[in-house]
């Protein structure tokens, strides 16, 4: 399978990438590691007219301690996230979730920014940044702005990023000492989650769901139950409230609803244990 | 677009379309056909090569993304005198292949795994090779080969 023809532009800086996006509008797509975009292009599910290659750009690939949060450059590869001692100490959920993406060869190339900007409801990292309450930084022609993770995923494979904006940084609050869990249920190694649940318990508890609707999402009803003094059983019963899980060959909506309940129970048991 | 790369220590260049996948650049433009195309969907790992010493699925990389990269393919693993790489030798001695189609990718993924984790447990080898499928399902002997190459020979599947 070969992608449809496109024009190739290399951007050596964020400003050059934004200039290319501004010039080419919605015809252009940014490519970092390409491990979400190239598969779609090979299936011709994506046929961008212009690829703006940001994968060879210098910078935006460090993981820095900024006091109350950890800043991760958008071009940081999954393998760097999963092997980061800083994240292991301050945001172990994110380090663990990165290790669950694809397989090692995929994680050598794929980037955290690419995965988040792709906005796939079935992928792992969106759930982690939702549960962690991360902030995303986007840069466009008008400058930089911050977007809360909860406002970032707006539709199926759609995000709050404008056509001329580039995701540059992910800011993750420190959660050292907090309870956490990531429950990924799949049938085959290296596969996407059929359903996944991320939990962070740090005074209050946040919960997010993988593959339970058109976007990555918080499990708001289950959060309200557990944070309102309900039991783990109460939260598990509300796991899929407000979700609209897909039917596919891996399972129908009813099966996913059941799985979400089981996985919320496991995640809360682990995070609060 | 001109793509110049160093592959197995040798400089290659070819003028290719931007949409050319790295695996096709290697096979069709340079004649390096040791790297196989399997699933073509980033799943099976038959096309695994090294970029900068790290395993990568070459069906999911554009050749233009690899401009200037240091690439190693299965052709570059044996010594100039034909001496097999220790991983290749281990696959041979432990019967780590049946039909052989997945083998180039397995060897490349396994050497990358050992460079990151020189003394893996058997479970870490199985997990580390999760991106490489063997349709003959010869996984026991593949894992045995990697453990032998790491200097920790194991008995796997006895009595199973």
């Amino acid at each position: 399978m070969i992608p449809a023809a496109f024009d190739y532009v290399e951007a050596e800086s964020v400003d050059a990438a934004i200039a290319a996006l501004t010039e080419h509008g919605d015809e252009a797509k940014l490519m970092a590691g390409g491990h979400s975009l190239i598969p779609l292009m090979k299936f011709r599910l994506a046929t961008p007219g212009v690829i703006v290659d940001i994968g060879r750009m210098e910078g935006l690939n460090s993981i820095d301690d900024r006091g109350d949060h950890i800043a991760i450059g958008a071009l940081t590869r999954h393998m760097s996230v999963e092997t980061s001692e800083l994240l292991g100490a301050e945001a172990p959920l994110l380090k663990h979730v990165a290790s669950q993406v694809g397989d090692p060869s995929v994680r050598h190339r794929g980037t955290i920014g690419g995965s988040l900007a792709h906005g796939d409801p079935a992928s792992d990292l969106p759930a982690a940044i939702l549960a962690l309450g991360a902030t995303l930084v986007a840069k466009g022609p008008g400058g930089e702005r911050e977007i809360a993770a909860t406002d970032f995923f707006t539709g199926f494979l759609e995000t709050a990023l404008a056509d001329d904006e580039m995701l540059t940084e992910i800011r993750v609050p420190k959660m050292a000492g907090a309870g956490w869990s990531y429950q990924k249920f799949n049938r085959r190694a290296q596969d996407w989650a059929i359903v996944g649940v991320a939990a962070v318990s740090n005074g209050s508890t946040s919960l997010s769901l993988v593959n339970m609707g058109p976007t990555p999402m918080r499990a708001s009803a289950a959060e309200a139950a557990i944070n309102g003094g309900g039991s783990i059983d109460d939260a598990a019963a509300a796991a899929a409230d407000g979700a609209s899980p897909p039917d596919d060959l891996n399972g129908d909506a009813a099966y996913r609803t059941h799985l979400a309940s089981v996985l919320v129970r496991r995640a809360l048991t682990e995070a609060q244990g | 677009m001109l793509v110049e790369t160093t592959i197995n220590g040798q400089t290659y260049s070819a003028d290719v379309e931007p949409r050319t996948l790295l695996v096709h650049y290697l096979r069709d433009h340079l004649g390096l056909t040791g790297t196989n195309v399997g699933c073509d969907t980033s799943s099976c790992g038959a096309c695994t090569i090294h970029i900068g010493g790290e395993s990568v699925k070459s069906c999911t990389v554009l050749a233009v993304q690899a401009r200037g990269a240091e690439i190693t393919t299965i052709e570059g693993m044996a010594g100039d005198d034909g001496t097999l790489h220790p991983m290749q030798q281990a696959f041979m001695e432990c019967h780590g292949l049946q039909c052989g189609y997945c083998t180039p990718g397995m060897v490349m993924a396994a050497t990358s795994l050992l460079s990151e984790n020189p003394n893996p447990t058997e479970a870490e080898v199985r997990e580390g090779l999760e991106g490489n499928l063997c349709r003959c399902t010869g996984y026991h002997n593949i894992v045995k080969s990697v453990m032998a190459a790491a200097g920790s020979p194991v008995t796997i599947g006895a009595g199973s």
Side-chain angles (χ1 to χ4, degrees), chain A residues 195-212:
Chain A
V195 174
V197 173
V200 174
S201 197
N202 199 10
S204 68
T205 295
S206 44
L207 288 161
S208 57
L209 301 172
V210 180
N211 217 358
M212 283 295 286

Side-chain angles (χ1 to χ4, degrees), chain A residues 1 8 56 77 103 108, chain B residues 40 54-55 57 67 116:
Chain A
M1 293 182 295
Y8 174 87
R56 298 150 52 88
R77 299 173 310 158
D103 60 64
H108 285 145
Chain B
D40 213 5
E54 294 177 327
S55 64
K57 293 178 169 180
R67 280 172 296 142
E116 289 167 359

Side-chain angles (χ1 to χ4, degrees), chain B residues 2-140:
Chain B
L2 191 68
V3 174
E4 196 171 275
T5 48
T6 304
I7 304 172
N8 306 327
Q10 196 178 327
T11 304
Y12 290 84
S13 68
D15 191 22
V16 300
E17 275 191 271
R19 62 173 165 165
T20 307
L21 299 167
L22 184 55
V23 69
H24 294 140
Y25 173 77
L26 294 169
R27 290 178 56 86
D28 304 341
H29 294 266
L30 307 182
L32 295 168
T33 54
T35 303
N36 288 332
V37 178
C39 69
D40 213 5
T41 57
S42 334
S43 300
C44 80
C47 66
T48 305
I49 60 164
H50 294 176
I51 297 181
E54 294 177 327
S55 64
V56 163
K57 293 178 169 180
S58 62
C59 78
T60 312
V61 178
L62 301 172
V64 290
Q65 290 180 292
R67 280 172 296 142
E70 294 271 347
I71 292 172
T72 309
T73 66
I74 191 68
E75 288 93 340
M77 296 303 277
D80 290 341
D81 62 354
T83 310
L84 293 180
H85 184 281
M87 187 65 73
Q88 293 172 305
Q89 187 69 31
F91 267 71
M92 194 176 83
E93 287 171 6
C94 299
H95 194 60
L97 58 150
Q98 292 180 42
C99 84
Y101 199 84
C102 72
T103 311
M106 284 287 181
V107 167
M108 301 312 285
T111 47
S112 176
L113 167 66
L114 290 195
S115 74
E116 289 167 359
N117 181 3
N119 297 298
T121 63
E122 185 190 325
E124 286 170 339
V125 169
R126 289 183 186 276
E127 204 163 293
L129 294 180
E130 68 178 321
N132 291 72
L133 305 181
C134 168
R135 282 295 62 172
C136 308
T137 69
Y139 293 107
H140 280 343

Side-chain angles (χ1 to χ4, degrees), chain A residues 9-52:
Chain A
V9 177
E10 176 162 24
E12 290 177 351
S13 68
V14 175
D15 288 342
I18 293 165
L21 292 176
T22 305
E23 182 184 345
H24 298 290
D26 63 3
E27 270 294 286
K29 282 291 274 182
L30 296 179
M31 179 179 287
H35 272 54
S36 296
L37 186 52
I38 292 173
L40 286 187
M41 291 169 67
K42 288 169 71 177
F43 280 121
R44 308 276 173 120
L45 295 171
T47 53
V50 180
I51 286 293
V52 181

